[in-house]
Amino acid sequence: MNWFRNNVVAASLLTVIRVYVGYTFLMAGWGKVSGEERFDASGFLQGGIEKSTGEHPAVQGWYANFLENVALPNVSIFNVLVPWGELLVGIALILGLLTTFSAFMGLIMNVNFLLAGAISTNPNLMIMEFLLLVGGWNAGKIGLDYFLLKLKKKRFEGEERGVAA
């Protein structure tokens, strides 16, 4: 675990993973934000509800209830959250900005897509996002997080000496 969180080689590996996951999210979000037709999640949500029935349901009943009673009635909110969430997670991961938070938000989205019955690349992305979370700050070390951490340390060192930053 120490190697994964502190080693330069691990930071390089995590950077490759981070940029790949970020690119995947960026392209998914960009396609929804910039598409000719306005993004509408209602078909996806309805499909998740339909996958909760039958002999071998792919969606659990409790999640289908969430889709039917919370997500579908508020689809206009999800029509904004999904594409912009994907786009912002993608940009942040590519830049290495707030990496662990961004990876966690991506993981939350992938878990929800998976619970709604969309297998696709979601399990693969979840594994990679988990690796980014385990890597902690090392996952964003080769990125903007490096500069944020330096700025944070400089600010707190100034406050400890009684100097306003």
Side-chain angles (χ1 to χ4, degrees):
M1 184 71 91
N2 187 41
W3 178 86
F4 212 61
R5 290 179 164 251
N6 297 305
N7 188 282
V8 176
V9 174
S12 300
L13 175 64
L14 290 167
T15 299
V16 171
I17 293 170
R18 188 190 80 221
V19 170
Y20 172 77
V21 173
Y23 179 78
T24 303
F25 270 94
L26 178 69
M27 290 296 101
W30 182 253
K32 292 175 180 87
V33 169
S34 68
E36 299 253 339
E37 294 182 26
R38 188 177 181 109
F39 172 73
D40 185 11
S42 58
F44 176 78
L45 297 174
Q46 194 62 46
I49 295 166
E50 291 170 9
K51 291 178 186 176
S52 69
T53 59
E55 194 172 323
H56 301 287
V59 175
Q60 294 182 16
W62 67 270
Y63 198 77
N65 286 335
F66 166 76
L67 293 176
E68 189 171 21
N69 298 313
V70 177
L72 201 54
N74 298 297
V75 72
S76 60
I77 295 169
F78 287 89
N79 287 342
V80 173
L81 289 178
V82 171
W84 285 101
E86 289 176 337
L87 189 70
L88 293 173
V89 164
I91 291 168
L93 286 176
I94 289 170
L95 297 176
L97 178 64
L98 304 173
T99 303
T100 51
F101 176 75
S102 301
F104 182 70
M105 291 297 107
L107 182 66
I108 295 294
M109 281 190 273
N110 287 127
V111 166
N112 279 285
F113 298 152
L114 191 61
L115 287 171
I119 300 297
S120 184
T121 61
N122 292 310
N124 299 338
L125 290 171
M126 289 169 60
I127 291 168
M128 289 183 268
E129 290 154 352
F130 179 75
L131 291 174
L132 294 174
L133 291 174
V134 169
W137 118 265
N138 210 23
K141 189 176 189 177
I142 305 172
L144 294 180
D145 282 348
Y146 173 80
F147 299 103
L148 282 178
L149 189 60
K150 275 182 104 168
L151 185 65
K152 179 182 166 188
K153 283 183 180 180
K154 185 177 179 181
R155 179 181 172 100
F156 283 117
E157 285 174 4
E159 287 179 3
E160 286 177 4
R161 285 187 248 136
V163 178

